[in-house]
DNA sequence: GACGCGCTTCCATCAGATGGAATCGGGGAT
DNA sequence: ATCCCCGATTCCATCTGATGGAAGCGCGTC
């Protein structure tokens, strides 16, 4: 019956609907066939389910017949309380950090084995960097990622190892022992550093952000050119920002 | 079989999943029972479908057992190309407008019969106003709404009338003839005005924003105290902002 | 310690999902 | 002008996965 072998278990309608949404992870404006292809669904099924999405408003169809994510989803998402509160609390600290260094400043949270960028400020003359608001990068290969990983619930580290951390550049730390040691150091110092792990010529310094319950809910980072690696104000700056945002979230050390 | 009578047609799994998402329209952190209640689903069904949402990541479950919208949806939504482009193009014009007036400045798009607020800047001393980023207000009762309605595809106006426009305050225009006339004036002048339509003591002036194809895709507005109604700089300001944003989107008059 | 309340799990029944195939539609080539 | 091709859309007989009442569980309260 099943012409195309599926990964895992795509049986339920829900999974299929979500597979369709996932098709928009890469690619903003898709045709029916592209979506059916990425979601690994027969055309007729994809068509029907897309119809449901469109009727609801989560996906809209533009004049050219292509599908794109609709405002309904945007509305639902921007009102999301946790990230909203976090962004509002963080804003002034990120601005300070940005103004005092002129480098890229990031705020990220963990989603599974990835760091999702909630906020970003970048100087025109800073090193090129691929992160953009809403993007998701592997935990082991970024400063914020390591800060998040170091304080993540038990099991996350094991999952990262099990997933086989990818080496992007010679500087990417992928060895279990080395990673574990870094995590320990980060927990001890409250600072995570990564040098040319994902972007050539760039290093990153990150600090955790805690909420009122003491849990690490986010991380702040600065990305700068490796030339400036030794300058002490970066670590100092992100640490202060991390503490400030934590305090704004109600954290009392 | 059907203990609780349902509205319309909730048969399909998709509708049920979406009904669950809609439960978050009002209320950020919900319990299973609240969701089941709002989505008009039996507990067991709501539970199972919520499980699917959570597994996918569109909804997450926090420590206290409550459900909330997840980062996955946020990520999907913020990368949405159209609203992103629009917000980026609009930002400087909105800032100008805000700085030169000190009043509320809004950017909104149409979603069905509502105006959805994409961006908002507000002075501390401006009139109280209920709009917030991500909120949705009826087209007929706001400045941006009227600007969007005036240039909406044929049929939208009829739908607004058919839906029975609600009167919020004495100033709300709900009469078909009066509304139609306003729309015509707005199309002629490129400016929509509404006085105490939704908020007591406030008036709003709005102008349409067009994209490269000439379609009206958004509207800008200022909300200020009725005392300032006669001051000409508001209409002038929003008109200039509307034109500027349109130009930034590639519109050539 | 028993009651109440909200959450979770179970499973027999059947309504709704499925997807291959037929059809439509439009734009490019001949 | 006509044909062809390819993506989108519609159809419908088959059967699988959704359904939700009910039983079970966990926990705070009286």
């Amino acid at each position: 019956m099943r012409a195309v072998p599926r990964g895992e278990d795509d049986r339920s309608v829900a999974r299929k609907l979500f597979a369709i949404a996932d098709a928009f992870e890469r690619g903003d404006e898709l045709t029916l066939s592209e979506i059916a292809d990425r979601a690994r669904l027969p055309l007729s099924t994809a068509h029907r389910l897309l119809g449901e999405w469109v009727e609801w408003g989560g996906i809209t169809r533009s004049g050219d017949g292509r599908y794109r994510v609709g405002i309904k989803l945007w509305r639902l998402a921007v009102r999301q309380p946790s990230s909203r509160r976090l962004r509002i609390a963080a804003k002034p600290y990120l601005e300070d950090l940005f103004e005092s260094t002129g480098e890229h400043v990031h705020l990220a949270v963990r989603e599974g084995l990835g760091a999702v960028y909630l906020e970003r400020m970048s100087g025109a003359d800073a090193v090129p960097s691929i992160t953009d608001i809403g993007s998701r990068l592997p935990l082991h290969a970024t400063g914020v990622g390591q800060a998040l990983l170091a304080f993540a619930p038990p099991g996350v580290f094991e999952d990262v190892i099990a997933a086989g951390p990818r080496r992007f550049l010679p500087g990417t730390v992928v060895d279990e022992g080395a990673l574990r040691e870094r995590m320990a150091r980060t927990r001890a110092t409250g600072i995570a550093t990564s040098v040319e792990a994902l972007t050539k010529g760039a290093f990153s310094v990150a600090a955790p952000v805690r909420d009122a319950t003491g849990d690490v809910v986010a991380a702040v980072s600065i990305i700068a050119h490796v030339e400036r690696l030794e300058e002490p104000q970066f670590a100092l700056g992100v640490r202060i920002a991390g503490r400030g945002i934590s305090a704004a979230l109600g954290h009392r050390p």
Side-chain angles (χ1 to χ4, degrees), chain A residues 110 112 139 145-157 160 183 187 216:
Chain A
R110 187 174 67 82
L139 290 178
Q146 291 188 21
L148 291 167
L149 183 54
F151 298 96
V156 177
F157 185 85
V160 168
M183 294 304 102
R187 276 188 290 270
V216 170

Side-chain angles (χ1 to χ4, degrees), chain A residues 99-174:
Chain A
E99 277 160 25
S100 64
T101 62
E103 304 284 357
H104 296 295
V105 171
H106 291 147
L107 176 73
V109 295
R110 187 174 67 82
E111 183 200 2
L113 304 184
V116 174
Y117 290 78
L118 285 190
E119 194 70 86
R120 163 203 167 127
M121 297 180 185
S122 7
D125 51 340
V127 285
S129 158
I130 55 170
T131 50
D132 202 352
I133 288 181
S135 63
R136 185 167 182 266
L137 296 174
L139 290 178
H140 72 282
T142 62
V144 271
Q146 291 188 21
L148 291 167
L149 183 54
F151 298 96
V156 177
F157 185 85
E158 282 65 34
D159 291 346
V160 168
I161 298 302
R166 182 172 157 204
R167 160 162 277 137
F168 295 92
L169 289 177
T172 320
V173 180
V174 295

Side-chain angles (χ1 to χ4, degrees), chain A residues 34-238:
Chain A
E34 286 170 335
I35 295 169
D37 195 45
R38 295 184 195 204
R40 318 203 116 216
L41 293 171
L43 233 76
S44 56
T45 303
H47 182 255
R48 185 163 32 81
L49 296 182
L50 266 167
E52 300 273 10
W53 271 111
V54 170
E55 191 187 329
W56 181 57
I59 294 176
T60 47
R61 196 151 191 202
S62 33
D64 58 359
R66 285 167 177 266
Y67 294 90
R68 58 193 68 186
V69 175
I71 335 142
K72 181 134 190 177
L73 272 188
W74 180 84
R75 228 150 47 74
L76 214 62
V78 289
R79 307 175 66 194
Q80 193 212 359
S82 54
S83 73
R84 225 174 105 75
R85 221 178 305 146
L86 189 53
R87 294 180 67 185
I88 291 169
K91 197 115 193 220
Y93 295 94
L94 300 178
E95 280 168 354
D96 273 5
L97 203 52
F98 173 58
E99 277 160 25
S100 64
T101 62
E103 304 284 357
H104 296 295
V105 171
H106 291 147
L107 176 73
V109 295
R110 187 174 67 82
E111 183 200 2
L113 304 184
V116 174
Y117 290 78
L118 285 190
E119 194 70 86
R120 163 203 167 127
M121 297 180 185
S122 7
D125 51 340
V127 285
S129 158
I130 55 170
T131 50
D132 202 352
I133 288 181
S135 63
R136 185 167 182 266
L137 296 174
L139 290 178
H140 72 282
T142 62
V144 271
Q146 291 188 21
L148 291 167
L149 183 54
F151 298 96
V156 177
F157 185 85
E158 282 65 34
D159 291 346
V160 168
I161 298 302
R166 182 172 157 204
R167 160 162 277 137
F168 295 92
L169 289 177
T172 320
V173 180
V174 295
D175 175 66
E176 173 168 0
L179 260 179
R180 199 180 288 280
E181 195 199 315
R182 287 183 152 258
M183 294 304 102
R185 197 162 349 126
T186 297
R187 276 188 290 270
T189 61
I191 285 290
T193 311
S194 98
V195 184
E196 292 194 300
L198 195 63
T199 310
K200 200 153 157 47
F203 79 99
S204 160
V205 193
V209 171
R210 295 171 188 276
D211 69 5
T213 71
D215 293 339
V216 170
V217 292
V220 221
S221 78
I222 292 187
I223 312 267
H225 195 279
V226 281
E227 273 175 6
R228 307 187 68 182
L229 186 54
E230 299 302 326
E231 299 178 30
Q233 76 269 31
F234 295 122
L236 200 64
V238 292

